[in-house]
């Protein structure tokens, strides 16, 4: 009996932390984007690579908000899941969490082909904060983990190329203002999951774009790819392996071994590192991860998805601590094999006006006898892949899928955001296959819909933290011609700041102050402007005034106001401590809500405050009490730096997140 491909809803229950509310303060500071290469180090690179490294890197998170409201208290929670399966594979997709494939199970053997995280634990790895590890994630927008990592996507059933069912995921990517879709289907009897991806640029101007599919697999693997060289990001000192977040140079290194270590075994690398494989032109695009018996996962694609990469955490204490932090102690670690539009994740590619880019990926099991000699191992795996999924079949599947990419969805299975609907309403774009209906517009889009309809941005009906700001040129133009109310001036200033017109942004915020019912959002914006121009004393004073105004205005201790108090309280404390205004910092601390003071980030700030007050023993006690900073940033060194100011003792293992050899 033939088992047809089917899609069904399920609930996936995991020990899971709460995501919590977004940070209501617009992210005005420049993006902490250090994934760049010095211009002088581009000599000798392929020309297209050198161009991509300098092609419009992202400088701001606006209009996206930071997601930092999560914690590390895990309890059993049901996550909405969509399952697509045939008689060979079962893929479990989380539409509410970036459309990630959480599991890919090979039914005949019972093998899980991915690293399936046994918990849901957000951590500060996405461009805008919350991200989680495991499975297959779809990264669009700019260098780094997508801002949609923990956001809902639209999902629906769509007819597949073979007449079966296909699962479509789609959303509007707001950093680059581009719609995209991901189509997943399993032909009957197929051991490979097919994934069709399309990114569209509906604008009348070119737009930079970026894509990497990140696949988590158990780290007790050997990773194979058709390459004899790789690009390794390195720190300026050129010392050892270097993790994402510290690179300034790209060094071409041999594969599989350099410095006497075979780097294709993830646990051989001492430190976290990226290896971007140099796959020769004309060679089939694929990557695989095999266990000691030769069983594992292969990913391949049409040629447009040219890049292949291995990311490892390494075996030193910092890397092991991150593994525990992102998963659960005792559950085993993971590495990532990845595929992208460019050679490296430091590049962006141009997408012409009113054009699109699309490709097809395939994921499935592979069995190849374990081989130690690199060339023979790669050739054997490539031959096995050709036997189970010929390169020509991938190209054929892509051709069969392309006419289906415009097919209108059938049953809606999940809803994403309303931002795409707002853009479609504004520009009357026709985007076959990815509808963004007005019914998806929500509270966040309501004032902007009113601006579009009437030319006026409505004033809030009640006192509350301001809503999200739109910053694209067309929205900024509408704000500039709207009646100059304080609310409009606030949002206009944010849009002007994003456009690089900082002086005009400051003027807009200053114009709004005399009549604004809420002063703290404007004072905070002006404080950031002061910091960015080097006026730290004035910034600290404005932060103190802003926090005082917020505490007087706060209406309750609900989620929205608590998020505002936490966000502004943190920035105020950091600004005041920077200029050694410890008494004012203590005043801010004492006015924080008790629940906010108990958060790990604020416990760390308390330790800094205690040290600034000359109370090092009490600051040390904060560490000894079991400090956990839920939103610790990848590569952040705050714990180690503060510990070194407190004591000469070695950094305890539970606080050791160090990722660079020069920090050890």
């Amino acid at each position: 009996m033939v088992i047809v491909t089917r899609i069904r809803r399920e609930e996936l229950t995991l020990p899971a932390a709460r995501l919590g509310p977004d940070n209501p303060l617009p992210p005005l500071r420049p993006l902490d984007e250090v994934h760049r290469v010095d211009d002088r180090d581009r000599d000798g690179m392929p020309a297209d690579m050198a161009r991509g490294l300098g092609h419009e890197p992202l400088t701001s998170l606006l209009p996206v908000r930071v997601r930092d409201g999560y914690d590390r208290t895990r309890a059993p929670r049901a996550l909405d899941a969509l399952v697509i399966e045939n008689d060979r594979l079962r893929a479990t997709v989380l539409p509410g969490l970036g459309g990630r494939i959480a599991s890919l199970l090979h039914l005949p053997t019972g093998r899980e082909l991915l690293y399936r995280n046994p918990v849901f634990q957000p951590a500060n790895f996405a461009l805008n904060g919350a991200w989680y590890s495991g499975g297959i994630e779809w990264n669009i927008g700019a260098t780094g983990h997508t801002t949609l990592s923990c956001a809902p996507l639209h999902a629906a059933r769509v007819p597949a190329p073979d007449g079966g069912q296909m699962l479509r995921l789609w959303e509007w990517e707001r950093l680059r203002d581009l719609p995209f879709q991901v189509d997943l289907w399993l032909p009957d009897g197929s051991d490979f999951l097919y994934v069709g991806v399309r990114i569209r640029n509906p604008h009348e101007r070119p737009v930079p774009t970026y894509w990497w599919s990140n696949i988590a697999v158990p780290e007790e693997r050997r990773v194979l790819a058709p390459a004899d060289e790789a690009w390794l990001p390195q720190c300026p000192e050129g010392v050892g392996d270097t993790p994402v977040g510290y690179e300034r140079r790209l060094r071409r290194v041999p594969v599989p071994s350099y410095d006497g270590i075979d780097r294709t075994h993830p646990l051989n690398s001492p430190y976290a590192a990226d290896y971007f494989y140099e796959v020769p032109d004309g060679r089939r695009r694929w990557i695989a991860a095999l266990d000691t018996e030769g069983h594992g996962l292969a990913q391949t694609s049409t040629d447009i998805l040219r890049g292949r990469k291995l990311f490892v955490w390494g075996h030193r204490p910092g890397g092991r601590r991150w593994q525990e932090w992102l998963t659960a102690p005792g559950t085993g670690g993971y590495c990532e094999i990845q595929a992208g539009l460019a050679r490296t994740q430091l590049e962006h590619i141009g997408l012409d006006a009113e054009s699109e880019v699309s490709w097809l990926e395939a994921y499935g099991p592979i069995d190849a006898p374990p081989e130690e000699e690199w060339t023979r191992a790669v050739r054997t795996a490539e031959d096995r892949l050709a036997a189970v999924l010929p390169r020509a079949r991938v190209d054929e599947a892509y051709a069969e899928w392309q006419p289906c990419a415009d097919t209108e969805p059938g049953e809606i299975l999940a809803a994403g955001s309303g931002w795409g609907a707002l853009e479609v309403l504004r520009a009357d774009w026709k985007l076959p296959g990815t509808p963004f209906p007005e019914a998806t517009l929500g509270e966040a889009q309501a004032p902007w819909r009113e601006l579009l309809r009437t030319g006026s941005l409505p004033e809030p009906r009640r006192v509350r933290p301001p809503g999200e700001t739109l910053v694209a040129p067309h929205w900024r133009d509408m704000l500039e011609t709207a009646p100059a109310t304080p609310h409009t001036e606030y949002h206009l200033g944010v849009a002007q700041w994003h456009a690089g017109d900082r002086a005009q942004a400051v003027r807009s915020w200053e114009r709004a102050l005399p009549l604004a019912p809420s002063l703290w959002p404007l004072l905070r914006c002006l404080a950031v402007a002061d910091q960015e121009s080097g006026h730290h004393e004035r910034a600290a004073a404005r932060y103190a005034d802003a926090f005082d105004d917020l505490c007087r205005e706060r209406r309750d201790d609900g989620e929205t106001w608590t998020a505002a108090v936490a966000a502004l309280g943190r920035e105020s404390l950091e600004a005041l401590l920077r200029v050694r205004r410890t008494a004012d910092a203590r005043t801010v601390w004492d006015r924080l809500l008790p629940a906010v003071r108990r958060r790990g980030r604020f416990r760390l700030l308390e330790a800094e405050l205690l040290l600034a007050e000359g109370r090092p023993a009490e600051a040390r006690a904060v560490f000894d009490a079991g400090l956990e900073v839920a939103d610790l940033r990848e590569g952040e060194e705050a714990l180690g730096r503060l510990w070194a100011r407190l004591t000469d003792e070695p950094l305890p293992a539970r606080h050791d997140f160090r990722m660079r050899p020069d920090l050890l």
Side-chain angles (χ1 to χ4, degrees):
M1 175 182 177
V2 175
I3 301 177
V4 297
T5 301
R6 55 193 178 273
I7 300 171
R8 67 178 185 276
R9 287 187 173 94
E10 276 193 2
E11 285 189 343
L12 180 63
T13 300
L14 295 174
R18 279 188 346 109
L19 266 175
D22 289 354
N23 187 322
L25 305 183
L28 298 178
R29 292 184 179 83
L31 183 66
D32 184 18
E33 176 53 276
V34 292
H35 302 72
R36 295 177 187 163
V37 175
D38 291 339
D39 289 342
R40 65 180 180 272
D41 291 316
R42 297 181 187 180
D43 294 341
M45 291 182 182
D48 60 336
M49 182 176 173
R51 286 193 302 270
L53 292 171
H55 184 61
E56 298 188 46
L58 193 69
T59 58
S60 171
L61 273 178
L62 288 166
V64 175
R65 284 185 164 182
V66 172
R67 309 204 72 173
D68 60 2
Y70 52 88
D71 57 29
R72 291 190 60 81
T73 302
R74 295 194 287 261
R77 304 181 199 276
L79 306 178
D80 290 334
L82 298 172
V83 175
I84 177 171
E85 69 177 319
N86 61 5
D87 58 335
R88 309 291 296 176
L89 284 177
R90 179 187 300 146
T92 302
V93 181
L94 303 179
L97 294 168
R100 185 173 306 207
I101 299 177
S103 169
L104 187 60
L105 185 66
H106 187 233
L107 298 173
T109 62
R111 293 183 192 133
E112 174 60 61
L113 301 180
L114 306 175
Y115 175 81
R116 181 172 182 169
N117 199 332
V119 302
F120 171 68
Q121 178 56 66
N124 192 359
F125 277 63
L127 286 165
N128 64 331
W131 170 89
Y132 62 106
S133 63
I136 305 172
E137 59 175 308
W138 319 112
N139 287 297
I140 181 174
T143 293
H145 294 283
T146 176
T147 61
L148 296 167
S149 291
C150 291
L153 269 57
H154 301 280
R157 297 180 196 268
V158 182
D162 62 356
Q165 294 185 4
M166 183 162 63
L167 175 61
R168 175 164 298 162
L169 307 164
W170 73 98
E171 213 359 313
W172 197 277
E173 200 287 309
R174 301 179 67 203
L175 293 180
R176 301 300 195 183
D177 236 4
L178 301 175
F180 72 98
Q181 71 189 77
V182 178
D183 289 352
L184 301 93
W185 78 102
L186 284 164
D188 288 340
S190 174
D191 276 311
F192 279 80
L193 173 69
Y194 291 166
V195 181
V197 183
R198 175 168 65 168
I199 305 171
R200 289 192 273 201
N201 176 13
H203 302 282
E204 295 179 349
R205 66 182 191 282
V207 176
T209 192
Y210 169 98
W211 183 279
W212 280 80
S213 302
N214 289 11
I215 309 125
V217 294
E219 63 184 347
E220 298 86 1
R221 297 288 186 270
R222 190 185 197 191
V223 174
L224 302 176
D228 295 317
E229 293 181 312
W231 295 94
L232 174 66
Q234 289 194 308
C235 59
E237 296 83 3
V239 179
D241 301 325
T242 305
V244 168
Y246 296 98
E247 55 267 20
R248 284 293 184 269
R249 299 173 183 169
L250 279 169
R251 175 187 175 193
R252 197 193 294 254
V253 298
V255 174
S257 299
Y258 81 94
D259 288 346
I261 300 174
D262 184 344
R263 310 291 174 139
T264 64
H265 294 274
L267 284 171
N268 283 356
S269 291
Y271 305 104
D274 294 329
Y275 302 95
F276 297 103
Y277 294 118
E278 182 64 51
V279 180
D281 290 341
R283 193 78 180 265
R284 185 176 186 178
R285 309 287 166 176
W286 64 274
I287 192 168
L290 303 177
D291 63 21
T292 56
E293 296 180 350
H295 307 307
L297 170 78
Q299 187 272 359
T300 187
S301 70
T302 47
D303 289 351
I304 193 70
L305 201 68
R306 65 170 304 166
R308 293 298 185 275
K309 172 193 163 185
L310 166 64
F311 168 76
V312 300
W313 280 108
H315 61 70
R316 293 299 296 267
R320 307 327 298 163
R321 183 67 179 115
W322 274 116
Q323 293 270 28
E324 293 177 350
W325 189 254
L326 298 171
T327 59
T331 57
Y334 73 94
C335 65
E336 288 183 350
I337 56 175
Q338 306 179 11
L341 281 174
R343 279 184 175 85
T344 73
Q345 288 172 332
L346 314 181
E347 304 165 65
H348 298 88
I349 67 166
L351 192 55
D352 290 339
E354 299 178 335
S355 70
E356 64 181 51
V357 60
S358 64
W359 62 91
L360 185 126
E361 304 180 46
Y363 297 82
I366 186 171
D367 294 290
E371 300 273 4
E372 283 306 313
E373 197 279 318
W374 176 252
T375 302
R376 186 166 61 248
V378 169
R379 180 58 63 191
T380 299
E382 196 165 46
D383 289 345
R384 290 299 180 95
L385 179 60
V388 295
L389 186 66
R391 186 177 186 179
R393 177 62 197 128
V394 175
D395 293 336
E396 290 168 3
Y398 173 61
E400 293 164 359
W401 166 71
Q402 283 185 294
C404 300
D406 283 347
T407 302
E408 292 302 319
E411 179 190 1
I412 300 297
L413 300 172
S417 77
W419 296 113
L422 185 68
E423 293 300 330
V424 168
L425 185 65
R426 179 193 64 81
D428 194 29
W429 278 317
K430 308 302 179 187
L431 301 169
T434 54
F436 294 96
E438 288 190 45
T440 61
L441 292 168
E443 183 181 1
Q445 294 82 39
W448 301 98
R449 185 181 189 182
E450 186 69 10
L451 174 64
L452 187 62
R453 188 179 67 85
T454 67
S456 178
L457 191 70
E459 289 293 303
R461 296 180 180 177
R462 63 182 187 276
V463 176
R464 60 180 177 179
E468 298 187 53
T469 300
L470 295 180
V471 297
H474 41 268
W475 293 107
R476 188 175 70 249
D477 290 346
M478 281 185 265
L479 288 169
E480 287 176 345
T481 58
T485 65
H487 188 57
T488 299
E489 294 280 20
Y490 163 79
H491 285 289
L492 175 59
V494 175
Q496 291 166 331
W497 182 271
H498 176 265
D501 192 350
R502 295 189 170 185
Q504 189 59 55
V506 168
R507 284 193 286 271
S508 294
W509 294 325
E510 289 176 337
R511 279 198 306 267
L513 275 174
L515 297 177
S518 295
L519 299 181
W520 65 267
L522 295 161
L523 290 172
R524 182 264 175 177
C525 290
L526 291 168
V528 174
D530 286 336
Q531 285 182 323
E532 291 300 305
S533 60
H535 296 101
H536 297 292
E537 289 283 355
R538 190 168 67 196
R542 276 182 161 150
Y543 265 121
D545 291 342
F547 191 74
D548 181 65
D549 185 67
L550 170 58
C551 289
R552 288 199 305 265
E553 182 178 286
R554 189 179 75 221
R555 294 297 187 262
D556 56 48
D557 294 345
E559 188 175 76
T560 300
W561 284 107
T562 298
V565 170
L568 186 58
R570 174 181 172 178
E571 291 187 11
S572 299
L573 283 168
E574 291 171 342
L576 290 164
L577 287 171
R578 179 169 187 166
V579 297
R580 297 180 176 85
R581 290 177 56 170
T582 54
D584 292 328
R586 174 58 64 182
T587 299
V588 170
W589 173 264
D590 290 341
R591 298 180 75 180
L592 291 171
L593 299 170
V596 173
R597 288 201 296 262
R598 289 193 293 268
R599 296 180 188 178
R601 176 61 65 177
F602 287 86
R603 294 285 287 154
L604 180 62
L605 284 169
E606 181 189 22
E608 293 184 21
L609 175 57
L610 288 166
L611 185 60
E613 291 174 329
R615 301 154 69 183
E618 293 172 74
R620 166 67 183 267
V622 173
F623 279 83
D624 295 340
L627 176 65
E628 280 196 338
V629 182
D631 63 338
L632 194 70
R633 185 71 175 166
E634 179 187 13
E636 185 177 344
E637 300 159 15
L639 286 171
R641 284 199 304 264
L642 183 56
W643 179 264
R645 293 169 61 196
L646 291 171
T647 178
D648 293 331
E649 297 174 23
L651 184 65
R654 68 180 181 276
H655 299 313
D656 189 355
F657 294 90
R658 295 171 296 181
M659 297 171 64
R660 290 190 293 174
D662 55 316
L663 294 178
L664 302 178

